Coordinates of all heavy atoms in Angstrom, one line a residue:
M175 N -10.9 0.2 -15.9 CA -9.7 0.9 -15.6 C -8.6 -0.1 -15.2 O -8.8 -1.0 -14.4 CB -9.9 1.9 -14.5 CG -9.0 3.1 -14.5 SD -9.6 4.4 -13.5 CE -9.7 3.7 -11.9
N176 N -7.4 0.1 -15.8 CA -6.3 -0.8 -15.5 C -5.2 0.0 -14.8 O -4.4 0.7 -15.4 CB -5.8 -1.4 -16.8 CG -4.8 -2.5 -16.5 OD1 -4.6 -3.0 -15.4 ND2 -4.0 -2.8 -17.6
V177 N -5.2 -0.1 -13.5 CA -4.3 0.6 -12.7 C -3.3 -0.3 -12.0 O -3.5 -1.4 -11.7 CB -5.0 1.5 -11.6 CG1 -5.8 2.6 -12.2 CG2 -5.9 0.6 -10.7
T178 N -2.1 0.3 -11.9 CA -1.1 -0.4 -11.0 C -1.2 0.3 -9.7 O -1.0 1.5 -9.6 CB 0.3 -0.2 -11.6 OG1 0.3 -0.9 -12.9 CG2 1.3 -0.9 -10.8
D179 N -1.4 -0.5 -8.7 CA -1.6 0.1 -7.3 C -0.2 -0.1 -6.6 O 0.6 -0.8 -6.9 CB -2.7 -0.7 -6.6 CG -3.3 0.1 -5.5 OD1 -2.8 1.2 -5.3 OD2 -4.2 -0.4 -4.9
E180 N -0.2 0.7 -5.5 CA 1.0 0.5 -4.6 C 0.5 0.4 -3.2 O -0.5 1.0 -2.9 CB 1.9 1.8 -4.7 CG 2.7 1.8 -6.0 CD 3.7 3.0 -5.9 OE1 3.5 3.9 -5.1 OE2 4.6 3.0 -6.7
T181 N 1.2 -0.3 -2.4 CA 0.8 -0.4 -1.0 C 2.0 -0.5 -0.1 O 3.1 -0.9 -0.6 CB -0.1 -1.6 -0.8 OG1 -0.7 -1.6 0.5 CG2 0.6 -2.9 -0.9
D182 N 1.9 -0.1 1.1 CA 3.0 -0.1 2.0 C 2.9 -1.3 2.9 O 1.9 -1.7 3.4 CB 3.0 1.1 2.9 CG 3.3 2.4 2.2 OD1 4.0 2.3 1.2 OD2 2.8 3.5 2.7
V183 N 4.1 -2.0 3.1 CA 4.2 -3.1 4.0 C 5.3 -2.8 5.0 O 6.2 -2.1 4.7 CB 4.4 -4.4 3.4 CG1 3.2 -4.8 2.5 CG2 5.7 -4.5 2.6
Q184 N 5.2 -3.3 6.2 CA 6.2 -3.1 7.2 C 6.9 -4.4 7.5 O 6.3 -5.5 7.7 CB 5.6 -2.6 8.5 CG 6.6 -2.2 9.5 CD 6.0 -1.5 10.7 OE1 4.8 -1.8 11.1 NE2 6.7 -0.7 11.4
C185 N 8.2 -4.3 7.5 CA 9.0 -5.5 7.8 C 8.8 -6.0 9.2 O 8.9 -5.2 10.1 CB 10.5 -5.2 7.6 SG 11.6 -6.6 8.1
P186 N 8.4 -7.2 9.4 CA 8.1 -7.7 10.8 C 9.4 -7.9 11.6 O 9.3 -8.1 12.8 CB 7.4 -9.1 10.5 CG 7.9 -9.5 9.2 CD 8.1 -8.3 8.4
Y187 N 10.5 -7.9 11.0 CA 11.8 -8.1 11.7 C 12.3 -6.7 12.2 O 12.6 -6.6 13.4 CB 12.8 -8.8 10.9 CG 12.3 -10.1 10.3 CD1 12.0 -10.1 8.9 CD2 12.1 -11.2 11.1 CE1 11.6 -11.3 8.4 CE2 11.7 -12.4 10.5 CZ 11.4 -12.4 9.2 OH 10.9 -13.6 8.6
C188 N 12.5 -5.8 11.3 CA 13.3 -4.6 11.7 C 12.3 -3.3 11.6 O 12.8 -2.3 12.0 CB 14.5 -4.4 10.7 SG 14.0 -4.0 9.0
G189 N 11.1 -3.5 11.2 CA 10.1 -2.4 11.2 C 10.2 -1.4 10.1 O 9.5 -0.4 10.1
S190 N 11.1 -1.7 9.1 CA 11.2 -0.8 8.0 C 9.9 -0.8 7.1 O 9.4 -1.9 6.9 CB 12.4 -1.2 7.1 OG 13.6 -1.1 7.8
V191 N 9.5 0.3 6.7 CA 8.3 0.4 5.8 C 8.8 0.6 4.4 O 9.6 1.4 4.1 CB 7.3 1.5 6.3 CG1 6.2 1.6 5.3 CG2 6.9 1.3 7.7
F192 N 8.3 -0.2 3.5 CA 8.6 0.0 2.1 C 7.4 -0.2 1.2 O 6.4 -0.8 1.7 CB 9.7 -1.0 1.7 CG 9.5 -2.4 1.9 CD1 9.0 -3.3 1.0 CD2 9.8 -2.9 3.2 CE1 8.8 -4.6 1.2 CE2 9.6 -4.3 3.4 CZ 9.1 -5.1 2.5
T193 N 7.5 0.3 0.0 CA 6.3 0.3 -0.9 C 6.5 -0.8 -1.9 O 7.6 -0.9 -2.5 CB 6.2 1.7 -1.6 OG1 6.0 2.6 -0.5 CG2 5.0 1.7 -2.5
I194 N 5.5 -1.6 -2.2 CA 5.5 -2.5 -3.2 C 4.5 -2.2 -4.3 O 3.4 -1.6 -4.0 CB 5.3 -4.0 -2.7 CG1 4.0 -4.1 -1.9 CG2 6.5 -4.4 -1.8 CD1 3.6 -5.5 -1.5
A195 N 4.8 -2.4 -5.5 CA 3.9 -2.2 -6.6 C 3.1 -3.4 -6.9 O 3.6 -4.5 -6.8 CB 4.7 -1.8 -7.9
L196 N 1.8 -3.2 -7.1 CA 0.9 -4.3 -7.4 C 0.4 -4.2 -8.8 O -0.2 -3.2 -9.2 CB -0.3 -4.2 -6.4 CG 0.0 -4.2 -4.9 CD1 -1.3 -3.9 -4.2 CD2 0.5 -5.5 -4.5
E197 N 0.6 -5.3 -9.5 CA -0.1 -5.4 -10.8 C -1.6 -5.6 -10.5 O -2.0 -6.0 -9.5 CB 0.4 -6.7 -11.6 CG 1.9 -6.7 -11.8 CD 2.4 -5.7 -12.7 OE1 1.7 -5.4 -13.7 OE2 3.5 -5.1 -12.5
S198 N -2.4 -5.2 -11.5 CA -3.8 -5.4 -11.2 C -4.1 -6.9 -11.3 O -3.7 -7.7 -12.1 CB -4.7 -4.7 -12.3 OG -4.3 -5.0 -13.5
F199 N -4.8 -7.4 -10.3 CA -5.2 -8.8 -10.2 C -6.4 -8.9 -9.3 O -6.9 -7.9 -8.7 CB -4.0 -9.6 -9.5 CG -3.7 -9.2 -8.1 CD1 -4.3 -9.8 -7.1 CD2 -2.9 -8.1 -7.9 CE1 -4.1 -9.4 -5.8 CE2 -2.6 -7.7 -6.5 CZ -3.2 -8.4 -5.5
E200 N -6.9 -10.1 -9.2 CA -8.1 -10.3 -8.4 C -7.8 -11.3 -7.3 O -7.0 -12.2 -7.6 CB -9.3 -10.7 -9.2 CG -9.8 -9.7 -10.2 CD -10.9 -10.2 -11.1 OE1 -11.2 -11.4 -10.9 OE2 -11.4 -9.4 -11.8
G201 N -8.5 -11.2 -6.2 CA -8.4 -12.2 -5.2 C -7.2 -12.1 -4.3 O -6.9 -11.0 -3.9
R202 N -6.4 -13.1 -4.2 CA -5.4 -13.2 -3.2 C -4.1 -13.6 -3.8 O -4.0 -14.4 -4.7 CB -5.8 -14.3 -2.2 CG -4.9 -14.6 -1.0 CD -5.5 -15.8 -0.3 NE -4.4 -16.3 0.6 CZ -4.3 -16.0 1.9 NH1 -5.2 -15.2 2.4 NH2 -3.3 -16.5 2.6
Q203 N -3.0 -13.0 -3.3 CA -1.7 -13.3 -3.8 C -0.7 -13.4 -2.7 O -0.8 -12.6 -1.7 CB -1.3 -12.1 -4.7 CG -0.1 -12.4 -5.6 CD 0.1 -11.2 -6.5 OE1 0.2 -10.0 -6.1 NE2 0.3 -11.4 -7.8
E204 N 0.1 -14.3 -2.8 CA 1.2 -14.5 -1.7 C 2.5 -14.6 -2.4 O 2.7 -15.3 -3.4 CB 0.9 -15.8 -1.0 CG 0.0 -15.7 0.2 CD 0.0 -17.1 0.9 OE1 0.9 -17.3 1.7 OE2 -1.0 -17.8 0.7
F205 N 3.5 -13.9 -1.8 CA 4.8 -14.1 -2.3 C 5.8 -13.7 -1.1 O 5.4 -13.2 -0.1 CB 5.1 -13.2 -3.5 CG 4.8 -11.7 -3.3 CD1 5.8 -10.9 -2.9 CD2 3.5 -11.2 -3.5 CE1 5.5 -9.5 -2.7 CE2 3.2 -9.9 -3.3 CZ 4.2 -9.0 -2.9
V206 N 7.0 -14.0 -1.4 CA 8.1 -13.7 -0.4 C 9.0 -12.7 -1.0 O 9.5 -12.8 -2.1 CB 8.9 -15.0 0.0 CG1 10.0 -14.7 0.9 CG2 7.9 -16.0 0.6
E207 N 9.3 -11.7 -0.2 CA 10.1 -10.6 -0.6 C 11.2 -10.4 0.5 O 10.9 -10.4 1.7 CB 9.3 -9.3 -0.7 CG 10.0 -8.1 -1.1 CD 9.8 -7.8 -2.6 OE1 9.1 -8.5 -3.3 OE2 10.4 -6.8 -3.1
D208 N 12.4 -10.3 0.1 CA 13.5 -10.1 1.1 C 13.5 -8.6 1.4 O 13.5 -7.7 0.6 CB 14.9 -10.4 0.5 CG 15.1 -11.9 0.4 OD1 14.3 -12.7 1.0 OD2 16.0 -12.4 -0.4
C209 N 13.6 -8.3 2.7 CA 13.7 -7.0 3.2 C 14.9 -6.3 2.7 O 16.0 -6.9 2.7 CB 13.7 -7.0 4.7 SG 13.8 -5.3 5.4
A210 N 14.8 -5.1 2.2 CA 16.0 -4.4 1.6 C 16.9 -3.9 2.7 O 18.1 -3.7 2.5 CB 15.5 -3.2 0.9
V211 N 16.4 -3.9 4.0 CA 17.3 -3.4 5.1 C 17.9 -4.5 5.8 O 19.2 -4.6 6.0 CB 16.4 -2.5 6.0 CG1 17.3 -2.1 7.2 CG2 15.9 -1.3 5.3
C212 N 17.2 -5.5 6.2 CA 17.7 -6.6 7.0 C 17.9 -7.9 6.3 O 18.4 -8.9 6.8 CB 16.9 -6.8 8.3 SG 15.3 -7.5 8.1
C213 N 17.4 -7.9 5.0 CA 17.6 -9.1 4.1 C 16.9 -10.3 4.6 O 17.3 -11.4 4.1 CB 19.1 -9.3 3.9 SG 19.9 -7.9 3.1
R214 N 16.0 -10.2 5.4 CA 15.3 -11.4 5.8 C 14.0 -11.6 5.0 O 13.4 -10.6 4.5 CB 14.9 -11.4 7.3 CG 16.2 -11.3 8.2 CD 15.9 -10.9 9.5 NE 15.7 -12.0 10.5 CZ 15.6 -11.8 11.8 NH1 15.7 -10.6 12.3 NH2 15.4 -12.9 12.6
P215 N 13.6 -12.9 4.8 CA 12.4 -13.1 3.9 C 11.1 -12.8 4.6 O 10.8 -13.2 5.7 CB 12.5 -14.6 3.6 CG 13.3 -15.2 4.8 CD 14.2 -14.1 5.3
I216 N 10.3 -11.9 4.0 CA 9.0 -11.5 4.5 C 8.0 -12.2 3.6 O 8.0 -12.0 2.4 CB 8.9 -10.0 4.4 CG1 10.1 -9.3 5.1 CG2 7.6 -9.6 5.1 CD1 10.1 -7.8 4.7
S217 N 7.0 -12.9 4.3 CA 5.9 -13.4 3.6 C 4.8 -12.3 3.5 O 4.4 -11.8 4.5 CB 5.3 -14.6 4.3 OG 6.3 -15.7 4.4
I218 N 4.5 -12.0 2.3 CA 3.5 -10.9 2.0 C 2.3 -11.5 1.4 O 2.3 -12.3 0.5 CB 4.1 -9.8 1.1 CG1 5.3 -9.2 1.8 CG2 3.0 -8.8 0.8 CD1 6.1 -8.3 0.9
V219 N 1.1 -11.2 2.0 CA -0.2 -11.7 1.5 C -1.0 -10.4 1.1 O -1.2 -9.5 1.9 CB -1.0 -12.5 2.6 CG1 -2.3 -12.9 2.0 CG2 -0.2 -13.7 3.1
I220 N -1.4 -10.4 -0.2 CA -2.2 -9.3 -0.7 C -3.6 -9.8 -0.9 O -3.8 -10.9 -1.6 CB -1.6 -8.8 -2.0 CG1 -0.1 -8.5 -2.0 CG2 -2.4 -7.6 -2.6 CD1 0.3 -7.3 -1.1
T221 N -4.5 -9.1 -0.4 CA -5.9 -9.4 -0.7 C -6.6 -8.2 -1.3 O -6.2 -7.0 -1.0 CB -6.7 -9.9 0.5 OG1 -6.5 -8.9 1.5 CG2 -6.2 -11.2 1.0
V222 N -7.6 -8.3 -2.2 CA -8.3 -7.2 -2.7 C -9.8 -7.4 -2.4 O -10.3 -8.5 -2.6 CB -8.1 -7.2 -4.3 CG1 -8.9 -6.1 -4.9 CG2 -6.6 -7.1 -4.6
D223 N -10.3 -6.4 -1.8 CA -11.7 -6.5 -1.5 C -12.7 -6.2 -2.6 O -12.2 -5.9 -3.7 CB -12.0 -5.7 -0.2 CG -11.9 -4.2 -0.4 OD1 -12.0 -3.7 -1.6 OD2 -11.8 -3.4 0.5
E224 N -14.0 -6.2 -2.4 CA -14.9 -6.0 -3.4 C -14.8 -4.6 -4.1 O -15.3 -4.4 -5.2 CB -16.3 -6.2 -2.9 CG -16.6 -7.6 -2.5 CD -17.9 -7.8 -1.8 OE1 -18.5 -6.8 -1.5 OE2 -18.3 -8.9 -1.5
D225 N -14.3 -3.7 -3.4 CA -14.2 -2.3 -3.9 C -12.9 -2.1 -4.6 O -12.5 -1.0 -5.1 CB -14.3 -1.3 -2.8 CG -15.7 -1.3 -2.1 OD1 -16.7 -1.5 -2.9 OD2 -15.7 -1.2 -0.9
G226 N -12.1 -3.2 -4.7 CA -10.8 -3.1 -5.4 C -9.7 -2.5 -4.6 O -8.7 -2.1 -5.1
I227 N -9.9 -2.4 -3.3 CA -8.9 -1.9 -2.4 C -7.9 -3.0 -2.0 O -8.4 -4.1 -1.6 CB -9.5 -1.3 -1.1 CG1 -10.6 -0.3 -1.5 CG2 -8.5 -0.6 -0.3 CD1 -10.2 0.9 -2.3
S228 N -6.7 -2.8 -2.1 CA -5.7 -3.8 -1.8 C -5.3 -3.7 -0.3 O -5.1 -2.6 0.2 CB -4.4 -3.6 -2.6 OG -4.7 -3.6 -4.0
H229 N -5.1 -4.8 0.3 CA -4.6 -4.9 1.6 C -3.4 -5.8 1.7 O -3.4 -6.9 1.1 CB -5.7 -5.5 2.6 CG -7.0 -4.7 2.5 ND1 -7.2 -3.6 3.3 CD2 -8.1 -4.9 1.8 CE1 -8.4 -3.1 3.0 NE2 -9.0 -3.9 2.1
A230 N -2.4 -5.3 2.4 CA -1.2 -6.1 2.4 C -0.9 -6.5 3.9 O -1.0 -5.7 4.8 CB 0.0 -5.4 1.9
E231 N -0.5 -7.8 4.1 CA -0.1 -8.3 5.4 C 1.3 -8.8 5.3 O 1.6 -9.6 4.3 CB -1.0 -9.4 5.9 CG -2.4 -9.0 6.3 CD -3.2 -10.2 6.7 OE1 -2.7 -11.0 7.6 OE2 -4.3 -10.4 6.2
A232 N 2.1 -8.5 6.2 CA 3.5 -9.0 6.2 C 3.7 -9.9 7.4 O 3.4 -9.5 8.5 CB 4.5 -7.9 6.2
H233 N 4.3 -11.0 7.2 CA 4.6 -12.0 8.3 C 6.0 -12.5 8.2 O 6.5 -12.7 7.1 CB 3.7 -13.2 8.1 CG 2.2 -12.9 8.2 ND1 1.5 -12.6 9.3 CD2 1.3 -12.8 7.1 CE1 0.2 -12.4 9.0 NE2 0.1 -12.4 7.7
G234 N 6.6 -12.6 9.3 CA 7.9 -13.2 9.4 C 7.8 -14.7 9.3 O 6.8 -15.3 9.7
E235 N 8.8 -15.4 8.8 CA 8.8 -16.8 8.6 C 8.8 -17.6 9.9 O 8.4 -18.7 10.0 CB 10.0 -17.2 7.7 CG 10.0 -16.6 6.4 CD 9.9 -17.6 5.3 OE1 10.8 -18.4 5.2 OE2 9.0 -17.5 4.4
D236 N 9.3 -16.9 11.0 CA 9.4 -17.6 12.2 C 8.2 -17.3 13.2 O 8.3 -17.6 14.3 CB 10.7 -17.3 12.9 CG 10.9 -15.8 13.1 OD1 10.0 -15.0 12.6 OD2 12.0 -15.4 13.6
E237 N 7.2 -16.7 12.6 CA 6.0 -16.4 13.4 C 5.2 -17.7 13.6 O 5.0 -18.4 12.6 CB 5.2 -15.3 12.8 CG 5.5 -14.0 13.2 CD 4.6 -12.9 12.7 OE1 4.2 -13.0 11.6 OE2 4.3 -12.0 13.4
Ligands
LIG180 ZN1 13.7 -5.8 7.7

């Protein structure tokens, strides 16, 4: 099955929650996305567990 998943992340600066689309992939993915509300760069780490469930963590650059 080839699905595009979505997951919610929360901005570590202003607390806004937004949804990001995930292409199907395996393992771990890191990227930086600017918050649509406060325009600050959020480091997002996506991991996929053995069951194919995606987990997203958002970190501020100054953490
Ligand atoms: Zn923000």
Side-chain angles (χ1 to χ4, degrees):
M175 205 161 63
N176 188 15
V177 289
T178 300
D179 203 358
E180 289 186 339
T181 192
D182 290 335
V183 296
Q184 185 174 31
C185 175
Y187 306 107
C188 69
S190 299
V191 176
F192 54 96
T193 302
I194 55 174
L196 304 171
E197 304 291 322
S198 54
F199 65 90
E200 294 178 355
R202 181 186 162 94
Q203 193 177 52
E204 272 187 77
F205 55 95
V206 175
E207 179 101 2
D208 287 343
C209 177
V211 176
C212 68
C213 298
R214 295 164 94 172
I216 308 164
S217 298
I218 299 173
V219 179
I220 308 291
T221 53
V222 179
D223 68 18
E224 291 171 353
D225 298 323
I227 310 296
S228 302
H229 303 276
E231 288 178 52
H233 302 280
E235 301 242 301
D236 55 359
E237 269 186 322

